[in-house]
Amino acid sequence: MGETTGPRLRADARRNRERLLAEARAAFLAHGTEASLEEIAACAGVGIGTLYRHFPTRQALLEALLRERFDALAATGRDLLGGRRPPEAALRVWVLALVEMSTTYRGLTAVLVDTLRDDASDLHASCVAMRDAGAALLTAAQRAGAVRSDLAALDVLTLVSAVAWAHERTPDGARERLDRLLDIVFTGLAAPPVTRSS
């Protein structure tokens, strides 16, 4: 009998983790990133102590839910960098993917901005990989002369975060408004035309 206790407990722990992630996903979708952890635990049928054993912080819980999305966004950046699209178009595709990912849960845009500044955060490494992918696309667009050379990746991420914040608060997340805001951003990012002396 003692031989089956360990594996059964491990299976129970896996099921608890899966239930917690499923309930957290639903709670964050319904209530944003500040959803009650106590309610998440209760809906998963476990105590708050069990939640904290699996996810010591809210950031750790978010990281577990978002790691795959961040990794996918970093991979998308690498694919776009080696693809056939013009560099500015590749950057725009990636920026749109970033906005869509950033608005998965209400409040996530602010979490991402704070996380990039906090290297002790559970989400920091994933955010840095994602940021680096965007930075490489920005550099390619700058080298092609399509984007202003005086911009840093943080400048672009700040602008994109503002667009994501606005999009998050748009009723039904109207795509037309998002496209218009991105058009405005990319007009501002564009390199000035080269003037030729007569």
Side-chain angles (χ1 to χ4, degrees), residues 4-105:
T4 62
T5 302
R8 185 178 299 122
L9 287 175
R10 285 195 293 273
D12 288 347
R14 279 196 302 274
R15 282 193 296 274
N16 286 343
R17 180 183 171 84
E18 288 165 8
R19 282 199 303 267
L20 284 164
L21 286 171
E23 293 299 338
R25 189 175 294 111
F28 291 150
L29 281 171
H31 307 292
T33 57
E34 292 303 312
S36 166
L37 298 184
E38 287 80 4
E39 288 184 16
I40 290 171
C43 289
V46 300
I48 190 65
T50 298
L51 184 148
Y52 282 127
R53 274 196 297 278
H54 288 282
F55 309 105
T57 65
R58 182 180 298 273
Q59 291 270 19
L61 180 55
L62 278 167
E63 200 270 346
L65 288 172
L66 297 171
R67 184 186 305 119
E68 287 184 10
R69 290 175 185 263
F70 287 161
D71 291 347
L73 196 53
T76 295
R78 291 190 294 271
D79 291 344
L80 287 165
L81 195 59
R84 296 183 178 180
R85 282 187 175 90
E88 183 189 6
L91 178 61
R92 183 170 181 131
V93 168
W94 187 85
V95 162
L96 178 58
L98 174 59
V99 170
E100 290 174 343
M101 189 278 296
S102 299
T103 54
T104 303
Y105 308 126

Side-chain angles (χ1 to χ4, degrees), residues 99 102-103 106-110 113 158-170 177-178 181:
V99 170
S102 299
T103 54
R106 189 173 66 254
L108 183 55
T109 299
V113 170
T158 300
L159 288 169
V160 172
S161 295
V163 170
W165 183 88
H167 181 56
E168 182 181 278
R169 284 155 179 77
T170 301
R177 184 164 187 248
L178 172 59
L181 290 173

